[in-house]
Amino acid sequence: MAVEQKEKKGGDIRTGSEKVKKALPAMLKGGVIMDVVNAEQAKIAEAAGAVAVMALERVPADIRAEGGVSRMSDPELVAKIIESVSIPVMAKARIGHFVEAQILQSLGVDCIDESEVLTPADEEYHIDKSKFDIPFVCGARNLGEALRRIGEGAAMIRTKGEAGTGDVVEAVRHARKILGEIRALSIMPREELMTYAKQIGAPFELVVKVAEEGKLPVINFAAGGIATPADAALMMQIGVEGVFVGSGIFKSGNPERRALAIVKATAFYQDPEVLAEVSRNLGEPMVGRTAASLEATEKLATRGW
Amino acid sequence: MASTIGVLSLQGDVAEHCRSIEALGRRAIQIRYARQMDSVDGLIIPGGESTTIAKLTADNTDAIFDRIREFIDAGKPIYGTCMGSIFLAKEIEGSTQGRLAAMDIKVRRNAFGPQRFSFETTLNIPALGEEPFDAIFIRGPVILSAGEGVDVMARVDANIGRLGKTAGSLPDESALYDSYIVMARQNNLLVSSFHPELTDDLRVHNFFLQMVEGEAPSGVSSGANVVAHQNQQRHTANPMALSAV
């Protein structure tokens, strides 16, 4: 009897299912995911209350400044960061570079960002994310792009914003666009959905699902240019479920303070008194540059198809 | 009178818990401040990151941490999922991170390894009836040991915990544990390592509501320890045995 039940139990373990992949991002809601380039920064992020870290060799601001081809980080660096913290660790693979993604999964990262911040490896096709056992997060500028990525198996969406600028304007644009399109879709007559799906280049079934539920079928964060506690709270009030902060923390004058302030601002995003308190004396923010000053070729958000 | 359940809403899967509570016809409110605690009959601490919740409750001008402790001391029910079970635990293996230290359990964070080894499985939870429960574990903790006043409600086979061994850092404890506790109750406190709020099965939330509304049988664990595949002797023989067994 006991043996029989044990076999029943042992045979009943499902890893990497869609449910399990979508559940990890759900646990990150209301939290801040911070870019880190070494174990020391990862520990600072964890101590400040980050819900996860993104392991990178260079933050987007440096990628912009230094140029060249930007690839997946050295596995040694990723492994060291995984060892140094207890919170989930994410890492970036190039758009379409499914081998980088395979490597990251085997290293034990908890989530892969198929990211426009790195140099795309494929200018036509994204990674088939449904094949992997761990969730992917992908950037999007509009609902069509978000639903294409979800159709490919992304378990989490983030705005692209314009990474490495410290200018929140593009993240605001993308969040408003995605959320506005969802609102419009939720009151659209059923007979219009197929043509709408065709117009935005999204899978019909997902368009129907969003129309019925009034929200994306996965968790939706903001990313790209968030540099202050007020920026984080702005994105939360607009309607995202959490934030990524890239260059904004470790390119600022006092990373510890700023990291904690952004964590608090994300949790208490509707409370101006808390926001005022945590925004005091944070030291120098990252210098940044306006997204409007970027040449077309310098824009990262246009990468992805 | 229908009860009102607060869901601690500083970080985590808050909306999912609210949905489960509302599906059972009760009111759910999001709790961010100590003052809101006066209006709730029970509290849920959701899934999320335990280091984040520790930071947000401790390093805070609002006295929510103390208010939750008072709530517990007053005998009001709290249900912690995943992060919530860590936050309620007296002891966290290898960590001094902030916690309520209210429940006599020792937990291990992230006991199954990285997300690759997060899983769904069906659990026997005798207190909820014969129908197995579809349980989702996301980088979940386990309870390594529990004090005498703790009712063990469900376990998983420790072999599951060995899935992630290839990833490195987890100790191989096949000699120590046949199974890990993944759901338990101590008086007014209920914890689960898994996430019923991610499923449509409302039995765990319903059980918690019975605790809140004073209908749950006190001896919930009668029979619960006899989850079939136990090798009871091995536990008893081992000095690190789970004291609840």
Side-chain angles (χ1 to χ4, degrees), chain A residues 116 138-143 145-147 149 157-161 174-175 178:
Chain A
E116 71 282 359
C138 288
R141 289 165 297 170
N142 53 54
L143 184 60
E145 193 171 19
L147 295 183
R149 299 294 83 81
I157 291 295
R158 55 170 175 76
T159 61
K160 285 182 170 172
H174 300 158
I178 292 169

Side-chain angles (χ1 to χ4, degrees), chain B residues 128-208:
Chain B
L128 302 183
E130 282 187 14
E131 180 75 15
F133 197 93
D134 285 329
I136 304 175
F137 292 79
I138 303 300
R139 299 178 89 253
V142 295
I143 300 171
L144 294 175
S145 61
E148 287 196 358
V150 178
D151 290 323
V152 174
M153 296 178 68
R155 299 170 176 278
V156 295
D157 193 316
N159 280 314
I160 300 173
R162 285 189 275 280
L163 281 175
K165 290 300 185 292
T166 51
S169 57
L170 296 172
D172 182 5
E173 295 171 326
S174 43
L176 298 183
Y177 300 104
D178 281 332
S179 65
Y180 297 120
I181 303 168
V182 292
M183 183 172 181
R185 176 185 175 184
Q186 182 177 22
N187 301 319
N188 53 329
L189 306 176
L190 178 71
V191 294
S192 70
S193 305
F194 53 94
H195 297 281
E197 74 278 11
L198 298 178
T199 70
D200 294 327
D201 192 335
L202 299 171
R203 285 179 292 161
V204 175
H205 287 86
N206 197 45
F207 183 89
F208 178 61

Side-chain angles (χ1 to χ4, degrees), chain A residues 179-212:
Chain A
L179 295 168
E181 286 176 314
I182 293 171
R183 284 190 288 268
L185 185 52
S186 65
I187 54 164
M188 204 174 276
R190 172 99 191 177
E191 67 270 18
E192 295 182 9
L193 298 186
M194 180 59 85
T195 299
Y196 184 72
K198 181 181 156 194
Q199 282 167 356
I200 67 169
F204 176 68
E205 291 72 20
L206 288 175
V207 168
V208 172
K209 198 171 167 64
V210 172
E212 284 170 354

